[in-house]
Amino acid sequence: MFLRAVLFCLLSIPCFTHALNFSSTFLRLNCPQRGLVEIILHVYDHTQERWKGNFETGAGHKRSGDTEIIPFANGDTLFHSLSRDSFGYLYAGEDKLSVCAKIDERPVYSSF
């Protein structure tokens, strides 16, 4: 009975997600049409994306309500839902959002 009560209490606590750290984050996503996509968010709003031999940069990000929006120079836009911790891409030239599965998220550490 005690175990059930503890389990109920733990499951009742809302799970809050966090905003991305735009000065030090390395993300790996599995995205339709691209497979493994690696994204790095650097200091000074510099961003990078890489997939299958492609590499793009970007700068800046916006937040609209629950969603963080990260544009890249090639026209791709990455969306991050804070409440669901989910990711989607609007690829350049397309009008349908591609939902990606998050594989990994960790801080970027300097190598010097």
Side-chain angles (χ1 to χ4, degrees):
M1 185 67 172
F2 175 74
L3 184 56
R4 283 186 183 173
V6 169
L7 185 59
F8 176 77
C9 288
L10 289 174
L11 293 175
S12 299
I13 298 171
C15 183
F16 295 102
T17 59
H18 62 281
L20 293 172
N21 178 350
F22 286 93
S23 64
S24 177
T25 296
F26 175 74
L27 281 171
R28 290 184 335 140
L29 306 174
N30 184 10
C31 298
Q33 302 171 358
R34 292 193 178 168
L36 177 65
V37 178
E38 296 176 329
I39 298 140
I40 299 177
L41 309 173
H42 294 283
V43 189
Y44 309 117
D45 276 338
H46 178 255
T47 56
Q48 296 173 212
E49 65 175 341
R50 181 177 72 174
W51 75 100
K52 295 181 187 172
N54 296 283
F55 178 83
E56 293 294 336
T57 61
H61 68 280
K62 302 174 201 155
R63 183 166 172 183
S64 179
D66 178 56
T67 305
E68 293 173 319
I69 304 163
I70 305 158
F72 292 93
N74 68 338
D76 289 349
T77 305
L78 178 64
F79 295 89
H80 174 233
S81 169
L82 294 168
S83 62
R84 293 182 306 228
D85 196 27
S86 62
F87 294 87
Y89 254 109
L90 188 59
Y91 300 134
E94 295 189 9
D95 56 358
K96 184 179 178 205
L97 188 69
S98 296
V99 177
C100 301
K102 181 167 106 174
I103 298 170
D104 187 26
E105 176 183 346
R106 63 182 186 262
V108 176
Y109 295 105
S110 54
S111 60
F112 53 91

